[in-house]
Amino acid sequence: MAKKNHLPGFATRAIHIGQEADEETGAVAPPIYPTSTYAQQEIGKHKGYEYARVSNPTRTRLEQNLAALEGGIAAPVFSSGMAAINAVVTMLKAGDHVVCGNNLYGGTPRLFNQVWSDFGLEFTYVDTAEAKNVERAIRKNTQLVYVETPTNPLMALTDIRAVAAVCRAKKVDLVVDNTFMSPYFQRPIELGADMVIHSTTKFLNGHSDGLGGVVVCTRQDQVEKLAFLQKAAGAILSPFECWLVLRGVKTLAARMEQHDRSGRIVADFLVRHKKVKKVFYPGLPDHPQHELAKRQMSGFGSMISFETGSLSNANKMLRRVRICSLGESLGGVETLISHPATMTHSSYGEKGRKAIGITDGMVRISVGIEDVEDIIEDLDQALAAI
Ligand SMILES: Cc1ncc(COP(=O)(O)O)c(C=O)c1O
């Protein structure tokens, strides 16, 4: 039992914060408010809600819930993970500079390089596994350091505490995309991050049935700016999708436990498999940052990449999967398997992928919560095609 005065545990927060029974009817599941506007009593007098682009009660509940899970003060939600990342970049102004990890979800550098560079923002990409690379890249006009840890799909880690110390000394904000671990296994704010991003499409929702994004804030100025951007730019999450995430997040702790258990078993199976040349998973003792993984994450999760040797080998096996679904995305209850070079990281281009070590033979798996024996049997029969 949690002691009095202690914050309730993670699973309790996930199930109860923002998820309180409806005051009017007692409904235990939060109601969805599919409304565009709210009746006002007189000019300037209303019940706290005026127009749904600005705020919506279902969205308020989700924002409270996600802030509590990440340990932030607020968590404005957006229509997708990319919309959340876009909102963070929109907080900057022409001439500002961002230091980024050199291995991010492909859509992120696509947004930075192909959209925001044209508006005068500057981006430098470095290997953030070493905090000193970040320190060296910071300039006078640097406003943000932007990292993903573990990275997608190479599963390389950034030492959040070390990079946060660099950022604090240089008065630069650290933004961490925590999509792969979810707040259940990693809480960047506790390690010094200033903002945390998620594609809620992934583990937070967990059921592959809705897009969404969130920016968890630690300061009031961030909250005000992002609330303004929700209103001004309008890329907000719909009430129905807010409700889906509220529903999904109730089982986050239980799902993550199972994802992690099965992830370790599948990684172990892949390491032993003759046809698999290399496995990228922070839970493996020979992962170069295994010690850091144990320190900054409370589990290793279920994202695993592995090397099949060639595009043709990857395709042979991916054509054969039956339980695993070949498709982009991750973090759902179902096992999803993908090919980074032609899917999530196609926008890096061949040269860009080569520079950071994403090969044509690399396959990424998001281990779901089906019976793990079935996942392994499926992978085994698919690998036999190579
Ligand atoms: C780590 C990471 N961040 C952000 C995104 C973008 O999220 P969304 O697809 O919800 O826009 C993705 C999508 O795959 C991702 O993997």
Side-chain angles (χ1 to χ4, degrees):
M1 282 278 280
K3 287 192 206 121
K4 276 210 172 114
N5 300 329
H6 274 218
L7 199 62
F10 187 93
T12 310
R13 298 205 297 283
I15 294 168
H16 290 285
I17 296 189
Q19 311 258 25
E20 297 82 4
D22 178 38
E23 272 193 12
E24 206 175 312
T25 62
V28 167
I32 306 173
Y33 286 85
T35 187
S36 58
T37 193
Y38 306 85
Q40 307 193 16
Q41 289 77 60
E42 57 182 81
I43 293 173
K45 194 168 172 208
H46 52 75
K47 298 183 175 172
Y49 292 93
E50 292 164 85
Y51 189 66
R53 178 157 28 78
V54 181
S55 53
N56 173 285
T58 317
R59 202 169 96 205
T60 304
R61 284 174 172 267
L62 177 62
E63 292 179 342
Q64 287 168 351
N65 181 282
L66 297 181
L69 295 188
E70 275 291 1
I73 61 167
V77 291
F78 295 87
S79 54
S80 68
M82 287 319 304
I85 296 166
N86 191 57
V88 167
V89 181
T90 312
M91 294 164 84
L92 304 177
K93 58 183 188 323
D96 286 346
H97 175 242
V98 184
V99 176
C100 314
N102 65 358
N103 171 209
L104 303 171
Y105 162 63
T108 304
R110 179 174 55 206
L111 172 72
F112 294 172
N113 301 340
Q114 296 182 43
V115 179
W116 283 104
S117 289
D118 290 344
F119 291 86
L121 293 185
E122 295 168 21
F123 301 91
T124 301
Y125 297 89
V126 298
D127 179 359
T128 55
E130 295 292 337
K132 65 176 183 307
N133 294 340
V134 174
E135 188 165 16
R136 276 195 215 111
I138 290 177
R139 308 181 199 153
K140 276 213 174 79
N141 59 340
T142 306
Q143 297 294 334
L144 292 182
V145 169
Y146 185 98
V147 303
E148 250 174 55
T149 179
T151 63
N152 179 2
L154 294 164
M155 304 307 293
L157 269 55
T158 294
D159 185 336
I160 299 174
R161 203 185 282 282
V163 172
V166 167
C167 290
R168 214 172 307 117
K170 301 269 185 184
K171 298 194 166 39
V172 169
D173 277 349
L174 173 62
V175 182
V176 178
D177 182 333
N178 196 25
T179 299
F180 267 32
M181 279 300 116
S182 92
Y184 186 69
F185 283 138
Q186 177 170 272
R187 280 187 294 282
I189 290 172
E190 290 171 11
L191 301 169
D194 298 283
M195 277 181 273
V196 172
I197 282 173
H198 285 273
S199 164
T200 64
T201 313
K202 318 300 181 190
F203 289 102
L204 288 171
N205 183 327
H207 294 75
S208 308
D209 50 13
L211 288 189
V214 62
V215 186
V216 187
C217 305
T218 57
R219 296 195 311 264
Q220 200 51 36
D221 61 301
Q222 300 162 348
V223 180
E224 280 162 23
K225 213 155 182 179
L226 288 165
F228 173 76
L229 284 167
Q230 285 181 314
K231 174 163 96 172
I236 44 112
L237 196 60
S238 78
F240 178 61
E241 249 123 358
C242 288
W243 184 84
L244 282 177
V245 183
L246 277 166
R247 184 165 111 135
V249 95
K250 286 182 185 176
T251 55
L252 181 65
R255 283 187 284 111
M256 291 313 290
E257 285 290 339
Q258 188 56 50
H259 279 299
D260 183 66
R261 264 197 298 276
S262 298
R264 291 173 198 232
I265 295 170
V266 171
D268 196 46
F269 159 79
L270 290 169
V271 164
R272 290 160 198 265
H273 202 286
K274 286 195 303 292
K275 303 275 175 67
V276 174
K277 304 191 182 340
K278 191 168 178 192
V279 181
F280 302 80
Y281 181 65
L284 293 171
D286 67 352
H287 184 285
Q289 295 161 301
H290 181 60
E291 290 309 312
L292 172 61
K294 286 200 287 192
R295 219 170 44 239
Q296 90 178 359
M297 293 147 37
S298 54
F300 302 119
S302 65
M303 297 303 300
I304 307 168
S305 297
F306 59 97
E307 182 54 57
T308 62
S310 67
L311 178 65
S312 150
N313 280 350
N315 202 27
K316 277 184 200 154
M317 91 150 285
L318 290 171
R319 266 203 303 255
R320 280 268 287 259
V321 290
R322 298 286 173 266
I323 302 270
C324 308
S325 298
L326 172 60
E328 300 206 26
S329 204
L330 59 111
V333 289
E334 56 290 289
T335 298
L336 291 166
I337 194 157
S338 68
H339 183 244
T342 56
M343 295 179 172
T344 48
H345 291 72
S346 63
S347 63
Y348 267 71
E350 209 176 320
K351 247 172 82 185
R353 286 192 298 277
K354 199 166 170 203
I356 58 168
I358 300 177
T359 64
D360 286 350
M362 185 175 274
V363 168
R364 190 192 76 185
I365 181 165
S366 165
V367 179
I369 61 170
E370 302 95 337
D371 293 295
V372 71
E373 305 76 35
D374 294 331
I375 301 171
I376 285 178
E377 206 178 293
D378 191 33
L379 289 172
D380 201 29
Q381 66 78 27
L383 282 163
I386 296 179

